[in-house]
Amino acid sequence: MNAVIWGHGRVGRHLSTRARPLFSNITYIEESNSDEWINARLSKADVLFLTLSVVGEQPVVTRDRLKRLPDNAIVINVSNGEVLDHKALFEMLLEGNIWGAGLDVLPRDHAYLYGETSDEWEWVKKYQTDHTNLIVTPHIAGSTEDAWNNTQRYIIEKVKEILL
């Protein structure tokens, strides 16, 4: 199987280490890659992992880019909701043009108070009543041990700067 990891920052690097035993080929996409290069990688992706930062015009992963994926592809977004065209993803799931998806985040999920909802979340709830190819998690992909350690170190350094 071929994995494409779009974004090779901290989460992308962790993912690539853990994914190595599962995939025969792992390719990385960066913002500096040409559209032609990106499209060639997408056309061979069994699993597309989105770990990229929100930089520039959004969404980065548009309907046109999703259409490049094979029909049996899986899209997993552990980045930010804004990087992915969710409407296009949802339509392609319904049409069978994408085999499945895992979403650790939906657009603007950080902006809603507890109990509030969005069009995307309502669509997900309805879709999941009859389908088993969509998994949604509570935006926890970045909560790794090193992230907590880095956060603790950062806070300690900031406190030292203030106190010393």
Side-chain angles (χ1 to χ4, degrees):
M1 288 183 65
N2 295 312
V4 173
I5 300 174
W6 197 325
H8 204 227
R10 182 183 59 79
V11 174
R13 288 190 306 273
H14 274 288
L15 176 61
S16 66
T17 300
R18 285 163 179 75
R20 221 173 287 295
L22 302 173
F23 295 94
S24 55
N25 186 37
I26 298 175
T27 305
Y28 308 98
I29 294 175
E30 297 293 337
E31 286 121 16
S32 60
N33 296 132
S34 71
D35 284 340
E36 183 179 329
W37 194 92
I38 291 170
N39 291 339
R41 287 358 175 237
L42 292 176
S43 70
K44 293 179 174 59
D46 295 303
V47 181
L48 171 62
F49 295 98
L50 304 177
T51 65
L52 63 154
S53 299
V54 178
V55 176
E57 188 177 330
Q58 301 300 321
V60 173
V61 184
T62 60
R63 176 182 307 279
D64 288 338
R65 287 188 163 154
L66 289 170
K67 286 170 133 179
R68 306 278 181 182
L69 295 168
D71 287 349
N72 63 342
I74 298 170
V75 176
I76 299 177
N77 186 10
V78 298
S79 178
N80 288 299
E82 289 73 22
V83 303
L84 175 64
D85 182 341
H86 284 80
K87 183 177 178 188
L89 174 73
F90 296 158
E91 289 172 1
M92 292 175 78
L93 280 168
L94 278 171
E95 296 163 358
N97 296 325
I98 289 184
W99 187 81
L103 304 174
D104 187 52
V105 59
L106 292 169
R108 298 183 38 79
D109 70 348
H110 60 282
Y112 296 105
L113 298 175
Y114 181 77
E116 286 185 313
T117 190
S118 68
D119 292 343
E120 292 85 5
W121 183 239
E122 292 302 319
W123 187 92
V124 164
K125 289 191 301 186
K126 183 177 177 189
Y127 183 82
Q128 287 184 321
T129 61
D130 297 319
H131 300 84
T132 59
N133 62 341
L134 175 62
I135 296 171
V136 179
T137 57
H139 203 134
I140 57 171
S143 296
T144 61
E145 188 174 326
D146 74 303
W148 286 105
N149 289 336
N150 288 341
T151 300
Q152 291 170 358
R153 273 185 245 138
Y154 175 81
I155 297 298
I156 290 167
E157 291 304 316
K158 289 296 176 188
V159 170
K160 283 170 47 180
E161 286 176 17
I162 293 169
L163 295 178
L164 300 178

